[in-house]
Amino acid sequence: MEYNEEQWAAITADQRYLMVLAGAGTGKTRTIIGRAAHLIESGVDPKRIAVVSFTRRAAAEITERLRHAVGDRGRRVVTGTFHHLCLRNMRARPRAFGFDGMTILDRDDQVQLLRLIRSRLVEKNSKFPQAAELLNYLSYARNTNQSPREYLIKFTDMSEQWVDLAEQVFQAYKQRKQAGGYLDYDDILHRFAEVLRADERVREMVCRELDHLLVDEMQDTNPLQWLILESYAQHASLFCVGDDAQSIYAFRGADFQNVHSFEKRLPGARTLKLTLNYRSTQPILDVANWLLDASPLPYRKRLRAVRPGNVKPRFLQFDSDLDQAEWVAKAIQNRRQGGAKWSDHMILCRTAWTARPMEAALIERNIPYRFIGGLGLLQVAHVRDVLSAIRIVVNPRDELAWMRYLTLFPGIGDVTAGRFAGKVENVESVEQSLEMVSQDFAKHSHVHAILVRVAKKAARPAQAIRTAVKGLESTLEASYDDWERRTKDLDLLERLAAKHESLREFLETYTLDPVSVAEPEEEDDDGVVTLITVHSAKGTESPVCFVISAQAGSYPHSRSVGDRDAEEEERRVLYVALTRARDELYITRHPPSGFNQGYWRGMMSTPDFVEDMPLHLVDYGEFATPIYQPSEDDVIR
């Protein structure tokens, strides 16, 4: 591999703690792979290097690219997500971490369990927060190292009585998890961090296995993950790569200060920067640089383009979201007729809600597209139905799986299923639970028979999935419309399971990092247009990008107004959107419903990131005339 001077300086730096601020498109993944390869070539045992990324897909890409760089030695480097790193160690030492025989709950399971607990502790028709909202509170508190009580008092308007009630709900939730042998998504990080900090013997045993820990997307780490890094830093070198300007996940607990305070937190630490952008042209980067320069925060970097190109971004304003959508769809269609591919185009929206008019326009013009930002494969109802049988075989004490599985069958309602699920808390084996099913549901022999057949195939995950699908197919087909399309999701599930040695490993892998719903097969060789939410777009790029609805209320989002930190994160959200474009960038906007053109003249008190954009940075494109045409010495408002 060849590297520029900035990348090579980072790759070969001899600091024990190094923070690499890598701007959008500057080759951060290339640099982190280069660092790992450099360490291996310098004589470091690959097994004593770990690379942590934020998605399973990114980790797999790093492994493959390392293999190309240093051969099979690259496969011996530990790569995975934070949760993968934690699980790997917890599986290896189950007694030290209290992990033996646990089932991991995904978010839907968590909500269902909290809903059951809430129904027992909270009065009917109470305005007390619903299960999903309570789960958000609990998760955020845990990932930011606060007690639930501390978080609720600080960040919500709950009365003291409701805070007390919430604590009761959370305590009951914890007890139910313990009784059912469950760990939720946050438990994995929390338990791992807690044991490392509290038990010096375990910390020495775990952390001394690594000499170098490389962390990708450092700006997305939360305080809980920082505690894990602190434990490793006592024994290993840290090489962290991230972009402070792309920190957009505070709603998940990500802490912007994990990047900005890196040198203060780790004595002797150093920060380097990557500023050469290989993705976009300079006119696109000029708009992105201007956006950061307008911030009160010190990002202290300006992106410089390596690729040539002088096409300015186009800035267009429309009367409504429908006009905007119609224009974008028509523009893409015109470009396609001119020889461009559908796949050359990406449309970025702030939320799934703002994408709806755009979807309607694409459908009306028969433009093939995919929407990214929706449900994951394991969140889809018919897939969860099939997996309920698999989960029972993996953990016969899984009360939630029993509830879902039993109620699939006509004649078995919530009360009957709940009564049975309450009896499995102390079962010791799958065989014992199957005998109980046989006795309790003698009139429904197929309920027992399907589980028996699945259990016999447990050693072969793909065959177990196929067996469950076959057994439940007639039941599910009668429950869902468009069954033929849904079977494609189940085929994908089987193919994914074939990559794993055990059902437990399969469930843990995809519960922690869900895959997207199977996309329809593409009929055209030139692919589909991508419609995507900005929070799903990190790591993506496209020759032509349309950033739609770029007005106040979307950038910044209305719910952030008045909160300085939240507003600045919204600036970074827009920055991420702008920097997805390689060759051409279109920025479009429209007044919210009920506002006239005066809105664009600053009549709104809500902040508006692009209203003061200098005229020399953009033009109006070739397809449309803006609602408001400013004079040469004016600014776009």
Side-chain angles (χ1 to χ4, degrees), residues 268-391:
R270 183 185 177 193
T271 298
L272 296 177
K273 297 177 183 178
L274 304 183
T275 61
L276 282 178
N277 178 286
Y278 292 86
R279 177 187 299 153
S280 307
T281 61
Q282 192 60 50
I284 294 171
L285 297 182
D286 287 343
V287 173
N289 288 333
W290 168 81
L291 182 67
L292 292 190
D293 288 344
S295 170
L297 296 179
Y299 291 100
R300 297 189 299 271
K301 64 172 179 289
R302 293 184 65 81
L303 296 178
R304 297 170 291 147
V306 173
R307 297 174 57 239
N310 58 8
V311 177
K312 289 184 180 181
R314 279 78 177 230
F315 189 98
L316 301 165
Q317 303 182 84
F318 298 93
D319 287 319
S320 70
D321 55 356
L322 296 178
D323 289 341
Q324 171 187 258
E326 173 62 20
W327 182 88
V328 171
K330 183 178 180 181
I332 292 174
Q333 198 168 51
N334 289 343
R335 296 176 63 88
R336 171 66 159 70
Q337 293 169 354
K341 296 180 179 180
W342 293 126
S343 57
D344 288 342
H345 306 90
M346 178 183 290
I347 305 168
L348 295 113
C349 54
R350 177 61 184 82
T351 64
W353 176 262
T354 58
R356 290 184 179 181
M358 194 69 251
E359 281 197 274
L362 294 172
I363 291 170
E364 184 161 338
R365 288 184 172 269
N366 294 316
I367 296 175
Y369 76 97
R370 60 176 177 171
F371 176 65
I372 300 177
L375 291 176
L377 179 65
L378 270 66
Q379 295 173 292
V380 180
H382 55 283
V383 172
R384 295 179 67 80
D385 291 341
V386 170
L387 288 180
S388 65
I390 302 298
R391 287 173 48 174

Side-chain angles (χ1 to χ4, degrees), residues 113-330:
L113 191 56
L114 269 172
R115 187 179 292 127
L116 288 171
I117 293 166
R118 183 188 182 283
S119 67
R120 296 172 185 173
L121 296 178
V122 179
E123 293 181 6
K124 194 173 183 179
N125 299 323
S126 170
K127 294 183 179 180
F128 188 74
Q130 296 297 315
E133 187 175 2
L134 289 170
L135 180 59
N136 289 340
Y137 292 155
L138 178 60
S139 180
Y140 192 94
R142 301 187 72 191
N143 279 283
T144 52
N145 296 328
Q146 303 177 72
S147 70
R149 184 177 193 87
E150 180 183 3
Y151 171 79
L152 293 174
I153 291 174
K154 188 183 301 184
F155 294 106
T156 74
D157 296 325
M158 280 192 182
S159 65
E160 185 173 347
Q161 183 180 1
W162 272 18
V163 171
D164 291 341
L165 181 55
E167 283 197 302
Q168 293 179 41
V169 171
F170 294 149
Q171 184 60 32
Y173 172 66
K174 181 178 180 180
Q175 293 170 351
R176 288 291 294 273
K177 286 191 297 181
Q178 291 172 342
Y182 299 133
L183 282 180
D184 65 28
Y185 194 71
D186 299 321
D187 286 330
I188 296 166
L189 294 183
H190 192 271
R191 184 170 298 187
F192 188 69
E194 190 176 54
V195 172
L196 289 188
R197 287 176 66 82
D199 193 322
E200 183 178 356
R201 180 185 63 84
V202 175
R203 182 172 66 249
E204 289 268 339
M205 189 166 44
V206 169
C207 298
R208 284 193 181 278
E209 290 185 345
L210 294 179
D211 293 328
H212 297 271
L213 179 57
L214 285 59
V215 183
D216 197 7
E217 304 286 8
M218 182 65 180
Q219 76 280 353
D220 294 334
T221 54
N222 61 41
L224 190 54
Q225 289 161 334
W226 176 256
L227 291 181
I228 294 171
L229 294 179
E230 273 191 326
S231 291
Y232 272 103
Q234 295 179 34
H235 305 285
S237 297
L238 291 185
F239 181 89
C240 302
V241 181
D243 185 359
D244 50 352
Q246 294 190 68
S247 178
I248 62 173
Y249 294 112
F251 66 93
R252 296 179 185 169
D255 187 357
F256 186 69
Q257 294 304 320
N258 285 353
V259 171
H260 269 211
S261 301
F262 188 82
E263 292 185 15
K264 295 179 182 179
R265 295 179 177 185
L266 295 172
R270 183 185 177 193
T271 298
L272 296 177
K273 297 177 183 178
L274 304 183
T275 61
L276 282 178
N277 178 286
Y278 292 86
R279 177 187 299 153
S280 307
T281 61
Q282 192 60 50
I284 294 171
L285 297 182
D286 287 343
V287 173
N289 288 333
W290 168 81
L291 182 67
L292 292 190
D293 288 344
S295 170
L297 296 179
Y299 291 100
R300 297 189 299 271
K301 64 172 179 289
R302 293 184 65 81
L303 296 178
R304 297 170 291 147
V306 173
R307 297 174 57 239
N310 58 8
V311 177
K312 289 184 180 181
R314 279 78 177 230
F315 189 98
L316 301 165
Q317 303 182 84
F318 298 93
D319 287 319
S320 70
D321 55 356
L322 296 178
D323 289 341
Q324 171 187 258
E326 173 62 20
W327 182 88
V328 171
K330 183 178 180 181

Side-chain angles (χ1 to χ4, degrees), residues 438-573:
S438 179
Q439 294 175 2
D440 285 30
F441 297 96
K443 295 181 179 180
H444 301 272
S445 59
H446 51 295
V447 174
H448 170 258
I450 292 170
L451 291 176
V452 169
R453 291 196 292 270
V454 172
K456 288 180 178 179
K457 302 292 184 181
R460 298 179 177 83
Q463 292 187 23
I465 295 289
R466 189 183 314 131
T467 301
V469 170
K470 186 176 180 180
L472 292 169
E473 187 168 20
S474 61
T475 300
L476 297 180
E477 187 173 4
S479 302
Y480 294 106
D481 296 328
D482 199 9
W483 179 247
E484 184 176 351
R485 178 185 62 81
R486 294 174 185 268
T487 59
K488 293 180 180 180
D489 291 334
L490 301 178
D491 290 341
L492 174 59
L493 194 69
E494 183 180 332
R495 294 200 303 273
L496 293 174
K499 300 178 181 180
H500 296 271
E501 296 182 358
S502 72
L503 286 174
R504 182 180 296 277
E505 178 188 296
F506 165 67
L507 288 176
E508 289 177 355
T509 297
Y510 294 107
T511 298
L512 293 178
D513 191 2
V515 295
S516 296
V517 178
E519 295 168 5
E521 295 184 6
E522 299 168 5
E523 298 178 0
D524 293 39
D525 292 336
D526 61 355
V528 297
V529 173
T530 296
L531 175 60
I532 189 169
T533 61
V534 182
H535 279 92
S536 300
K538 283 182 62 177
T540 65
E541 59 184 58
S542 182
V544 183
C545 286
F546 298 83
V547 178
I548 63 172
S549 300
Q551 67 271 350
S554 291
Y555 301 99
H557 194 280
S558 55
R559 64 172 173 245
S560 72
V561 175
D563 182 331
R564 178 180 170 180
D565 291 340
E567 284 185 15
E568 281 307 306
E569 175 158 310
E570 290 295 309
R571 184 188 304 277
R572 298 192 292 270
V573 171

